[in-house]
Amino acid sequence: MKDKPKLTFEELLEKIKTYIQDEKQLDMINKSYEFASIKHKGQKRLNHTDYIKHPLNVAYILASINADYQTICAALLHDTMEMCGVSKEELEDNFGNEIASLVDGVTKINRLNYNGDTESQVANHRKILVGLTEDVRVIIIKMADRLHNMRTMYILDEEKQKANAKETLEILVPIAHRLGMNKIKTELEELSLRYSKPDVYFGIVERLNKSKNERNKYVEDMMDEVSKILNEHGIKHEIKGRAKSIYSIYKKLDNGKRFSDIYDLLALRVFVDTEADCYQAMGLIHSKYRPVPKRLKDYIAMPKSNMYQSLHTTVFGKDGNFFEIQIRTYEMDRVAEHGIASHWSYKEKGKTMLQDTMEEKLQFFRNIMEIKENDTDEEQFVKDVKGDILNDTIYVYTPKGDVIELPNGSTPIDFAYRVHTNVGHTMVGAIVNEKIVPLDYKLKNNDIIKINTNKNQVGPSSSWIDMAYTSSARNKIKAYFNKIDKEQYLKKGEEIFISELRKRKLSYNEFASDDNLKKIFKELKIDNLNDLYIGIGNNKYSPNQIINIITNDNKTKEQILIDRVVNKETNDDSNNKGDVVVEGIDNIKVSISKCCHPIPGDEITGYISSGHGINIHRVMCPNIKDLDERLIKVHWNDKTDQKYSTYLLVHATDNKEILFNIVAKTANTNMVVKSINTINNEGKYIFEVKVSVTNLLDLNKFMNDLKNISNVTNVERVIK
Ligand code: MN
């Protein structure tokens, strides 16, 4: 799905009304929107759309997974605290406690914007996990927030794009996976790949788009045949073609497979009403098409740990092609696509199996998060969390028969700390299946574990840190020791800081004014003086770094009068009738897509939209990759000499005279610069340049000219 820059509240409401009819709830949603749009009034996003379109889009993503009304309200309000200085109290007064807490939760996570260094990255990861421990809806909103931000990420500089992509892959994707939110997960993965490895990503998109018609034909034929067998046996069903995710293709290519060998590119999904129908359908399909050995998976009898249920099989299908077929009920599909988000009433009493499983999943995150503020090795933390989230899990029992989920590799130490921190701190030994075991014993599925404790035990042994497998146990042990160190760092940090101020002849009282401290805390994302001193004491911050935050704060923003330089031609693309030749069809309405803005010379393809004629995209455009859209061969008419508009992003390290230079490079060419948007973002400069151009050769030459401007680091075309 694409960003909807023109999305209106009415459209959102229409979508919500398909599953929420309660007037009071709809009123609250309405009120939230009005509140947010007043607060965000005048604010713009980096891509110059009105800010309110962002919360609207986030709410829209959530409405597509049938989020409850509090979640929708919180999504609409999610940036009002951070961006508009709205207080939690104000939200409480207007919207009640629950919605206010959700917004507060999202704000806490977002307060730490990623800025590339490991420390804030770790802190950010941590906050995301904290969100999980409070109310899982906070994290679901965060997912939607990130998803929309990534859909519009083309506007950021490369470094930020890569950092966001990395963080998404490292933390949000595994959490989405754990929570079974596969649909959002898949899109996050694809967007991450797009920005972390654009060449690979667009390469796959292009190959998929080129082979799409052929694949569609195979899939449709196969669908007809399978449908026929099922109808003959009276099984009510629906069959859909299924696009393989680009990320899963990338993974396979990365493992050394060739594109042509990835046989499950042809994929079908069969929907039936009941579990029994699933098995019967599979039997019928196997009676006609030979299954590929070892590709049969029964996730109905044995659901995945994120609750996913489905039958999977691969068969030798029509014309010798392999088909990967998934068979499931509609209910299973809902859970498979949205996981935890398929069940919004999870907080109600009278829990179902699903709710129990979900509680278990959440407990898992809470356990990871039971981490003291002050652990030392920050990079280790990321590794730990990733390990804990991604690894296989085992299920073991307390002597009372309570199940505890632990990552594979855990020891009795992990078990003890999972039960309770004090059980860990006072542990003297462990008994597994009635036998005494060493503390580094690796627990196995179904082990029954009894921990012996002694309340006179003074505390854990530091050697346990290496024996524990989970980050939460290790961190609890470290926290025990850190607490002792903390006091010392605090004292040391204060001393270092004061002596540095003295060295630079700055008065402590003047320097440590409320305003200055506020600025420092904001910059370092901390909230009190103790944290500052401890940070200095343990070398997290240097005293110079702190002092520079205040003393270097007199940058002036040099605004150039770009609008005057830029030719503000308003008429849009020329009449392009006849410029694009649709093979085999004359006289059909053709329109140029607004996401990838092809120009003559670009390799293009046509997308047959219902009722709107043929939409022309670049072959590498990801917006046409989904399987059920129809593509048709088209090419540019050689004779065309009309101008077409397209967008460029010019990245620069400075903004001095860049605008002038961009415009100057159009002298003596056919190019027209139609508009330039300046995007200043934390010391980086990006210019979104709309140009009007006759063909690709001219554009490429122009782009090369731009690259030669000093301070310009990159020039690229935009695909929205
Ligand atoms: Mn946001």
Side-chain angles (χ1 to χ4, degrees):
M1 241 206 329
K2 268 190 343 179
D3 167 42
K4 292 169 164 279
K6 295 198 174 106
L7 179 67
T8 61
F9 181 63
E10 285 65 38
E11 272 173 81
L12 170 67
L13 207 56
E14 207 173 295
K15 181 141 201 128
I16 293 168
K17 280 180 176 164
T18 59
Y19 68 95
I20 296 181
Q21 279 87 32
D22 185 309
E23 286 297 330
K24 270 191 191 142
Q25 297 188 0
L26 292 171
D27 281 351
M28 195 59 115
I29 290 170
N30 209 356
K31 191 175 160 193
S32 304
Y33 172 70
E34 270 168 20
F35 184 92
S37 56
I38 291 169
K39 293 293 179 186
H40 287 300
K41 200 165 193 119
Q43 294 176 343
K44 297 272 183 194
R45 301 196 79 212
L46 282 179
N47 64 4
H48 293 259
T49 52
D50 287 336
Y51 197 86
I52 189 69
K53 299 293 178 192
H54 167 61
L56 261 181
N57 267 279
V58 174
Y60 193 86
I61 292 168
L62 291 165
S64 7
I65 56 175
N66 295 4
D68 61 14
Y69 84 98
Q70 294 101 326
T71 305
I72 300 280
C73 292
L76 289 167
L77 297 165
H78 83 270
D79 278 331
T80 56
M81 288 176 78
E82 185 70 8
M83 300 268 312
C84 323
V86 172
S87 69
K88 193 179 175 194
E89 290 67 39
E90 190 176 354
L91 290 176
E92 269 167 6
D93 291 346
N94 281 285
F95 306 100
N97 200 14
E98 197 168 341
I99 292 172
S101 297
L102 289 174
V103 178
D104 189 48
V106 177
T107 307
K108 274 192 208 145
I109 297 175
N110 283 344
R111 192 152 282 159
L112 253 160
N113 278 323
Y114 187 91
N115 58 19
D117 63 282
T118 319
E119 277 152 13
S120 68
Q121 179 191 2
V122 171
N124 205 6
H125 292 172
R126 194 172 290 171
K127 301 238 164 175
I128 288 167
L129 290 168
V130 172
L132 273 169
T133 69
E134 287 169 355
D135 183 331
V136 72
R137 291 177 297 178
V138 168
I139 232 59
I140 294 176
I141 298 169
K142 174 68 196 172
M143 295 270 181
D145 183 30
R146 172 58 58 92
L147 183 55
H148 182 246
N149 282 333
M150 287 192 73
R151 281 180 185 168
T152 51
M153 201 159 76
Y154 71 89
I155 207 84
L156 296 184
D157 64 82
E158 200 186 329
E159 202 183 315
K160 268 227 164 64
Q161 289 172 342
K162 292 208 149 77
N164 275 331
K166 184 164 179 275
E167 185 189 75
T168 301
L169 279 180
E170 285 186 345
I171 293 294
L172 287 165
V173 164
I175 291 174
H177 174 71
R178 266 264 157 190
L179 298 178
M181 301 170 67
N182 284 321
K183 201 156 183 199
I184 288 185
K185 175 193 142 200
T186 302
E187 199 182 336
L188 286 174
E189 277 176 342
E190 293 200 357
L191 286 164
S192 300
L193 183 64
R194 170 175 171 171
Y195 291 104
S196 57
K197 298 190 171 163
D199 295 352
V200 176
Y201 174 81
F202 285 109
I204 295 173
V205 170
E206 192 170 331
R207 298 194 70 159
L208 279 178
N209 283 344
K210 278 185 174 166
S211 60
K212 179 182 248 187
N213 281 338
E214 198 186 356
R215 278 182 296 125
N216 274 356
K217 197 187 152 301
Y218 287 133
V219 167
E220 276 166 27
D221 288 354
M222 185 72 177
M223 271 160 68
D224 288 346
E225 287 198 15
V226 170
S227 201
K228 204 168 143 232
I229 318 170
L230 298 184
N231 281 333
E232 277 165 12
H233 291 82
I235 298 176
K236 224 175 104 207
H237 67 276
E238 233 180 302
I239 307 183
K240 287 183 184 153
R242 183 168 63 87
K244 291 290 289 185
S245 105
I246 301 215
Y247 194 78
S248 69
I249 294 169
Y250 155 69
K251 278 288 188 203
K252 287 182 179 157
L253 293 175
D254 206 36
N255 283 334
K257 286 210 171 130
R258 287 192 326 217
F259 197 83
S260 53
D261 295 340
I262 302 175
Y263 50 71
D264 43 13
L265 284 179
L266 294 174
L268 297 183
R269 193 171 281 162
V270 181
F271 301 93
V272 293
D273 288 333
T274 66
E275 194 178 300
D277 285 352
C278 292
Y279 289 105
Q280 209 190 338
M282 188 173 69
L284 289 167
I285 290 168
H286 283 175
S287 70
K288 169 129 192 203
Y289 304 101
R290 200 154 48 86
V292 177
K294 290 186 184 160
R295 298 276 298 175
L296 171 67
K297 302 259 163 61
D298 183 353
Y299 293 116
I300 294 179
M302 279 163 292
K304 290 191 187 177
S305 67
N306 61 15
M307 304 176 302
Y308 177 92
Q309 286 191 298
S310 188
L311 295 177
H312 289 189
T313 183
T314 302
V315 299
F316 296 93
K318 219 173 163 288
D319 303 322
N321 288 303
F322 290 107
F323 282 85
E324 191 189 70
I325 303 181
Q326 301 179 341
I327 307 166
R328 56 177 71 158
T329 65
Y330 293 96
E331 172 61 19
M332 288 175 197
D333 188 56
R334 223 159 53 85
V335 176
E337 299 262 280
H338 305 309
I340 193 170
S342 63
H343 202 92
W344 285 93
S345 51
Y346 73 96
K347 284 172 90 186
E348 286 165 12
K349 281 177 197 157
K351 288 181 177 177
T352 62
M353 262 268 287
L354 186 73
Q355 290 160 336
D356 279 345
T357 331
M358 230 47 261
E359 264 312 306
E360 241 172 66
K361 295 298 143 210
L362 292 178
Q363 191 53 42
F364 185 85
F365 286 107
R366 292 192 184 108
N367 289 324
I368 295 176
M369 259 329 289
E370 283 174 20
I371 289 168
K372 283 282 177 189
E373 294 285 291
N374 201 19
D375 52 30
T376 43
D377 192 345
E378 300 282 13
E379 279 189 52
Q380 186 64 33
F381 173 82
V382 177
K383 255 166 76 194
D384 288 345
V385 169
K386 271 197 311 197
D388 285 0
I389 298 176
L390 290 173
N391 278 327
D392 288 349
T393 50
I394 55 167
Y395 295 91
V396 296
Y397 297 91
T398 67
K400 283 182 191 158
D402 293 332
V403 185
I404 287 188
E405 183 183 6
L406 286 167
N408 194 7
S410 295
T411 65
I413 300 173
D414 299 295
F415 179 88
Y417 277 98
R418 175 64 55 85
V419 172
H420 196 277
T421 307
N422 275 335
V423 174
H425 285 347
T426 57
M427 172 167 65
V428 288
I431 296 170
V432 172
N433 305 329
E434 303 183 338
K435 284 196 194 90
I436 295 175
V437 296
L439 291 183
D440 61 356
Y441 168 85
K442 295 254 175 301
L443 298 175
K444 294 176 188 59
N445 256 323
N446 302 324
D447 277 348
I448 300 169
I449 301 143
K450 184 175 186 297
I451 299 295
N452 289 330
T453 58
N454 178 344
K455 62 178 180 338
N456 296 322
Q457 169 89 355
V458 236
S461 147
S462 60
S463 68
W464 294 1
I465 296 174
D466 294 330
M467 289 186 220
Y469 182 83
T470 59
S471 53
S472 70
R474 271 208 301 278
N475 284 301
K476 282 174 184 172
I477 302 165
K478 281 186 203 160
Y480 178 87
F481 292 105
N482 279 343
K483 209 172 153 190
I484 304 167
D485 297 340
K486 206 169 168 178
E487 301 285 303
Q488 290 167 0
Y489 285 133
L490 182 81
K491 218 174 128 218
K492 188 170 144 209
E494 187 173 7
E495 279 168 18
I496 295 176
F497 186 60
I498 289 174
S499 95
E500 184 64 33
L501 282 174
R502 224 175 268 143
K503 234 191 270 168
R504 293 175 62 159
K505 305 207 169 20
L506 294 163
S507 128
Y508 178 87
N509 285 338
E510 246 166 64
F511 188 86
S513 70
D514 284 354
D515 278 356
N516 283 353
L517 287 180
K518 228 186 241 165
K519 210 174 263 169
I520 292 168
F521 293 167
K522 190 164 177 239
E523 178 78 22
L524 302 175
K525 283 117 189 166
I526 55 176
D527 46 27
N528 63 67
L529 199 56
N530 279 3
D531 284 356
L532 179 66
Y533 288 150
I534 292 168
I536 297 173
N538 65 19
N539 295 325
K540 191 171 169 187
Y541 318 120
S542 77
N544 276 323
Q545 175 194 357
I546 311 288
I547 294 168
N548 286 342
I549 292 172
I550 301 304
T551 51
N552 287 358
D553 199 38
N554 33 26
K555 295 173 209 153
T556 51
K557 274 182 195 163
E558 195 182 337
Q559 273 305 337
I560 302 174
L561 296 168
I562 50 161
D563 292 348
R564 235 177 255 175
V565 194
V566 169
N567 175 355
K568 280 264 180 188
E569 218 181 291
T570 43
N571 63 317
D572 220 321
D573 289 339
S574 42
N575 172 12
N576 44 47
K577 205 174 175 188
D579 287 354
V580 174
V581 180
V582 180
E583 290 175 19
I585 307 174
D586 293 333
N587 261 335
I588 184 161
K589 200 179 136 210
V590 161
S591 59
I592 302 293
S593 86
K594 299 222 184 308
C595 47
C596 53
H597 291 277
I599 58 166
D602 279 329
E603 211 179 333
I604 50 175
T605 186
Y607 155 45
I608 309 169
S609 62
S610 46
H612 302 286
I614 294 179
N615 228 305
I616 306 303
H617 292 258
R618 292 169 66 187
V619 163
M620 54 157 14
C621 179
N623 296 312
I624 48 166
K625 69 184 163 43
D626 294 327
L627 198 71
D628 44 353
E629 291 169 350
R630 302 309 213 87
L631 297 184
I632 187 165
K633 279 200 177 132
V634 298
H635 64 259
W636 292 101
N637 187 342
D638 297 342
K639 294 192 189 76
T640 179
D641 54 2
Q642 302 287 353
K643 281 198 167 74
Y644 281 82
S645 295
T646 196
Y647 288 85
L648 302 177
L649 291 181
V650 178
H651 300 256
T653 52
D654 197 342
N655 70 354
K656 284 199 192 89
E657 294 186 14
I658 296 268
L659 294 169
F660 175 78
N661 281 324
I662 291 173
V663 177
K665 293 287 181 196
T666 63
N668 307 322
T669 71
N670 259 332
M671 310 277 314
V672 180
V673 171
K674 298 181 95 176
S675 68
I676 302 183
N677 280 325
T678 313
I679 299 147
N680 292 349
N681 192 13
E682 294 169 27
K684 299 237 168 70
Y685 301 91
I686 300 177
F687 305 92
E688 189 183 41
V689 185
K690 183 178 183 188
V691 293
S692 189
V693 58
T694 340
N695 61 56
L696 189 60
L697 280 175
D698 286 358
L699 182 71
N700 285 342
K701 181 170 178 309
F702 179 62
M703 287 173 70
N704 274 328
D705 287 348
L706 295 183
K707 280 180 193 160
N708 288 330
I709 299 175
S710 64
N711 295 329
V712 166
T713 52
N714 193 19
V715 180
E716 58 182 343
R717 287 180 70 181
V718 172
I719 298 183
K720 286 183 186 174

